[in-house]
Amino acid sequence: LVTVAGLSLADETDFSDEACFQAALKGETSVSDLIINADGSTQIRIGAPLWQHGQRGLKIMGAVITSMDGEILSQIVEALQVSENSTAYIIDRQGNVIAHKDRKLVTSRTNAIKDAQTDQSLAELAELEQKMLEGEAGFGEYEYEGQNRLLAYAPIPHTNGWCLAVTAPKADFMEQTLYGIYTTIGLVALTMVLGTVAAVLMANRIARPVNACAKRLALVAEGDL
């Protein structure tokens, strides 16, 4: 519980500068940016207004702020699987990765938009993530490390500009199509081989007696009656 001055009633910790507290004073419920602690652990804070008599719309008497382990975000996205090799992740309003199955990308605050300034291979991904930061929802394609990948993205409501993205190799979705194409090619090739064999057998059945007759006539012409 936090007073309108931003001080915790428990130990007088000052939350006045935190965005989730300031949003609570405006009557909004919000989620903070990801907090990375010195030991590498992560946290997020959720703030909500404390209304007089518990009735929304009356005077705001303070705020309720709760802290959660930021690991829960990565656990959620890790469970999102749209194909065998797909990956889901969340970025904040600055473009920093705040949830990913690879936790190192979270603790190192990986940012494709910033990294693309020195690494051209990230240019296509950075362009898509820039659209994410602008609050758009959509779909795109990019190339990374020689692999064509698909990316679907959408903003996460009631957060501080967070956006969810799901990416997967294009090959994951083309597998069944390619299987069908290869199967068709194989059947066509097999049909051609069988047709050729059948044609050769038929030709031999016709050619043998013709050749025998021709040889016999040649012997007759030589006087062998």
Side-chain angles (χ1 to χ4, degrees):
L1 296 178
V2 181
T3 67
V4 290
L7 299 177
S8 167
L9 293 179
D11 55 13
E12 294 193 348
T13 299
D14 190 354
F15 292 95
S16 59
D17 291 333
E18 298 213 10
C20 63
F21 169 73
Q22 295 170 2
L25 290 186
K26 298 177 183 177
E28 303 170 358
T29 299
S30 66
V31 182
S32 73
D33 290 330
L34 187 73
I35 301 167
I36 300 178
N37 301 315
D39 61 358
S41 62
T42 56
Q43 279 184 318
I44 54 173
R45 291 199 178 108
I46 301 173
L50 186 64
W51 300 97
Q52 187 178 33
H53 305 309
Q55 297 183 29
R56 181 178 294 275
L58 295 182
K59 183 179 179 181
I60 294 177
M61 305 299 294
V64 178
I65 295 179
T66 181
S67 293
M68 297 177 61
D69 187 350
E71 172 69 12
I72 191 173
L73 295 176
S74 292
Q75 291 174 354
I76 291 172
V77 298
E78 193 170 11
L80 295 176
Q81 288 286 329
V82 297
S83 70
E84 181 180 356
N85 301 297
S86 66
T87 301
Y89 64 96
I90 298 174
I91 60 174
D92 62 18
R93 69 180 189 277
Q94 283 89 29
N96 300 317
V97 174
I98 60 173
H100 198 285
K101 66 180 181 181
D102 184 352
R103 305 303 194 269
K104 291 181 181 179
L105 298 180
V106 177
T107 55
S108 64
R109 295 189 181 276
T110 299
N111 189 313
I113 297 175
K114 292 180 180 178
D115 294 342
Q117 296 175 5
T118 55
D119 186 352
Q120 268 308 110
S121 67
L122 295 172
E124 293 179 334
L125 175 59
E127 184 178 348
L128 291 171
E129 291 195 358
Q130 185 60 51
K131 294 180 180 179
M132 293 164 62
L133 297 188
E134 294 168 1
E136 297 183 19
F139 179 84
E141 183 175 347
Y142 67 99
E143 183 176 341
Y144 181 66
E145 294 184 344
Q147 188 180 63
N148 289 324
R149 300 186 67 89
L150 304 176
L151 181 77
Y153 53 91
I156 303 177
H158 309 299
T159 60
N160 195 14
W162 295 0
C163 194
L164 171 67
V166 180
T167 178
K170 193 174 182 179
D172 280 9
F173 301 96
M174 294 296 293
E175 184 175 353
Q176 293 301 320
T177 301
L178 293 175
Y179 176 78
I181 292 173
Y182 295 149
T183 301
T184 302
I185 292 174
L187 289 173
V188 170
L190 179 60
T191 301
M192 291 177 64
V193 170
L194 292 176
T196 301
V197 172
V200 170
L201 292 176
M202 184 65 70
N204 287 337
R205 290 185 63 184
I206 296 173
R208 283 197 198 98
V210 171
N211 288 335
C213 183
K215 289 180 180 179
R216 183 67 254 176
L217 292 175
L219 291 174
V220 170
E222 292 173 359
D224 184 355
L225 304 178

